[in-house]
Amino acid sequence: MRKLMKLETNIMTIGTPKLKNYLSPDYVYVPLEENFKLNLKENKKVLKGDFITDASVSYVSGSACGIKKCLTVNGIKSCLVIENDFKEQNKKIKKMSNEEMLKYLRTDLSKKLQKKSTNLIFSIIEDEPLVYTYSMLVNNHFQDLLDTIDYLNDLEKFKNIYIVIKDNEKKNIENLISTLGIFPYIKLVTVPNVYPILNTDYLYNILNIKEGIILNPEEVYEINNVLRCKKNVTEKYLSISGTDIKSCVINVKLGTKVSEILRFAKIKNNDCDIFLNGCISGNKVTQLDELIVTKDLRALVFNKKEEEKTAKCISCGLCKAYCPAEINPKYIYENSKIVSKKYLDKCLKCGLCNYVCPSYINLKAAIEVGELNDN
């Protein structure tokens, strides 16, 4: 196995970031799938939880007032603009079976729950430094999360259930230990604060298993809301941190513009590199004006711009030495037009090659170019 990178100390070891709430935006923007067909009443009024298409739910009650292009973690999307009436009128969910309720979960999570396995892994591992979403969720909702794990076990009767957490999460470890006595079949496993544990066979090796269903805190909390409490997910935690920024986690309404949230939190991002979901494996963006909060956005990291100019490769070998997939990013960088798809498919998109490169070469981008060539 290749080397894993030791990460800087997580702030959760020295104090919990402040939790704030921003739940009353004037407008929300609901992403729509391709070839969408709107299910709107003639007066265009919607309730919180209304299906405005077959796959998209309104996050507030109010009035639909147009379609707008917005930026999401997954690119530009057409979004329905809903003016908030601040009444929070909920669409009542009819009594349904768990199978019927799966449509209220995000698609990838629904598929996970339909997978058959003897092992369930509740991973609290946040593989990115300066990202605190999972930690805050566990800190504030650990009892609901454990009850949901218990609920899933009643449905599936897993052979093994593991909670995996990094050893620097002292407060959350203490909370879990104090509660796990009533769940004797759940095993708590601590792992070192290294990157990228989740993208390698390291996790399965340390648990001595070959496969399993891996759920993170956001996914377990969504299951808690939808399957256990029979209500739609309309809010989420968003971690904000970076250079010269006091780290915080904000509970926000889905579909809110990020620029509004930053104004509320009095956070300025002048002369900063902006990363979505972390500065190692996350995506770098140049502006946030049209970015909206979706379920896939869990963090914003603002790093002060430095005079980092790309230099010629010095053949130090660090990218290859640290690659958890055991490929050679330098080879891909130099041969992106001819490298085979089979070789490229081994890449885990962890971004570690970029992180360790002393010449600041964008190796991750070179791999993406190779994939576009689709050799």
Side-chain angles (χ1 to χ4, degrees):
M1 181 182 293
R2 296 287 171 138
K3 295 180 182 178
L4 299 177
M5 176 68 73
K6 178 72 176 178
L7 296 178
E8 61 188 81
T9 302
N10 188 297
I11 199 169
M12 295 302 284
T13 63
I14 57 176
T16 305
K18 188 175 181 180
L19 178 65
K20 303 178 182 180
N21 290 289
Y22 184 69
L23 298 171
S24 300
D26 292 331
Y27 297 89
V28 296
Y29 304 80
V30 183
L32 304 169
E33 65 274 15
E34 290 185 15
N35 303 316
F36 62 86
K37 182 179 179 181
L38 292 176
N39 303 325
L40 293 177
K41 300 174 183 177
E42 288 186 7
N43 60 8
K44 297 184 179 180
K45 295 287 186 181
V46 296
L47 300 178
K48 186 168 75 171
D50 263 339
F51 274 93
I52 55 178
T53 71
D54 291 340
S56 301
V57 173
S58 176
Y59 310 130
V60 297
S61 58
S63 301
C65 54
I67 305 290
K68 181 179 176 62
K69 296 283 187 181
C70 295
L71 177 65
T72 72
V73 173
N74 298 312
I76 301 293
K77 300 282 186 181
S78 294
C79 298
L80 180 68
V81 185
I82 300 177
E83 185 175 9
N84 192 356
D85 64 11
F86 304 104
K87 295 179 181 178
E88 292 290 300
Q89 294 176 305
N90 283 284
K91 174 76 172 181
K92 291 184 179 179
I93 299 178
K94 297 177 182 179
K95 191 172 183 179
M96 297 181 183
S97 67
N98 279 339
E99 288 73 20
E100 292 173 312
M101 287 297 295
L102 289 176
K103 70 177 183 178
Y104 289 86
L105 298 172
R106 66 184 91 180
T107 303
D108 57 342
L109 178 54
S110 177
K111 288 180 179 178
K112 276 188 182 183
L113 293 183
Q114 294 175 66
K115 176 184 174 183
K116 296 299 179 182
S117 175
T118 58
N119 301 304
L120 177 63
I121 304 167
F122 176 32
S123 171
I124 307 174
I125 297 172
E126 181 57 81
D127 246 352
E128 285 276 350
L130 301 176
V131 176
Y132 315 115
T133 310
Y134 295 167
S135 293
M136 184 64 78
L137 265 171
V138 175
N139 186 61
N140 289 337
H141 301 284
F142 67 89
Q143 189 63 61
D144 286 332
L145 297 173
L146 290 176
D147 287 342
T148 304
I149 295 297
D150 185 53
Y151 167 82
L152 291 174
N153 189 48
D154 285 340
L155 295 177
E156 298 295 332
K157 302 300 180 185
F158 294 99
K159 181 180 178 181
N160 299 298
I161 299 179
Y162 305 94
I163 296 179
V164 185
I165 187 169
K166 288 189 175 181
D167 57 16
N168 64 321
E169 293 264 15
K170 305 300 183 185
K171 185 175 181 181
N172 281 332
I173 291 173
E174 290 174 4
N175 287 337
L176 290 168
I177 289 175
S178 67
T179 309
L180 282 176
I182 60 175
F183 305 103
Y185 53 87
I186 300 178
K187 304 170 187 176
L188 181 65
V189 179
T190 59
V191 296
N193 184 29
V194 292
Y195 178 86
I197 288 180
L198 284 178
N199 285 337
T200 69
D201 57 2
Y202 182 100
L203 191 55
Y204 286 157
N205 285 343
I206 203 168
L207 298 176
N208 196 27
I209 59 176
K210 293 183 178 180
E211 54 78 36
I213 298 173
I214 302 177
L215 298 174
N216 63 49
E218 284 190 315
E219 292 171 328
V220 175
Y221 196 55
E222 185 170 339
I223 295 167
N224 171 71
N225 282 305
V226 174
L227 298 188
R228 289 188 67 229
C229 301
K230 308 299 182 185
K231 63 181 183 180
N232 285 299
V233 176
T234 60
E235 303 169 8
K236 76 174 284 55
Y237 281 7
L238 180 67
S239 171
I240 302 178
S241 59
T243 309
D244 300 326
I245 289 178
K246 189 172 182 180
S247 299
C248 64
V249 178
I250 305 181
N251 188 30
V252 299
K253 187 75 71 173
L254 286 167
T256 304
K257 277 195 171 185
V258 166
S259 55
E260 290 183 33
I261 298 168
L262 296 179
R263 283 196 296 271
F264 160 77
K266 298 179 180 179
I267 292 174
K268 296 180 180 180
N269 57 297
N270 298 331
D271 299 319
C272 286
D273 289 325
I274 308 164
F275 297 89
L276 309 183
N277 294 341
C279 55
I280 302 181
S281 63
N283 299 323
K284 186 177 178 179
V285 295
T286 55
Q287 56 84 27
L288 299 173
D289 291 345
E290 300 303 325
L291 179 68
I292 61 170
V293 176
T294 60
K295 289 182 179 180
D296 296 324
L297 179 65
R298 71 181 189 280
L300 298 169
V301 179
F302 300 97
N303 283 348
K304 188 175 180 180
K305 287 184 178 179
E306 298 179 5
E307 293 299 322
E308 298 175 350
K309 294 183 179 180
T310 300
K312 185 178 179 180
C313 175
I314 60 174
S315 300
C316 64
L318 285 175
C319 59
K320 182 179 179 181
Y322 278 98
C323 178
E326 299 188 348
I327 61 177
N328 187 347
K330 178 179 182 290
Y331 169 76
I332 298 174
Y333 172 68
E334 294 175 344
N335 301 276
S336 60
K337 293 183 178 181
I338 62 170
V339 66
S340 70
K341 185 177 185 299
K342 184 177 179 181
Y343 193 72
L344 286 167
D345 284 345
K346 295 180 181 180
C347 177
L348 303 172
K349 313 295 189 299
C350 69
L352 201 51
C353 52
N354 273 26
Y355 192 72
V356 300
C357 179
S359 296
Y360 303 110
I361 297 171
N362 194 341
L363 297 164
K364 185 178 175 184
I367 294 171
E368 291 170 353
V369 169
E371 290 173 333
L372 288 174
N373 288 321
D374 196 23
N375 289 294

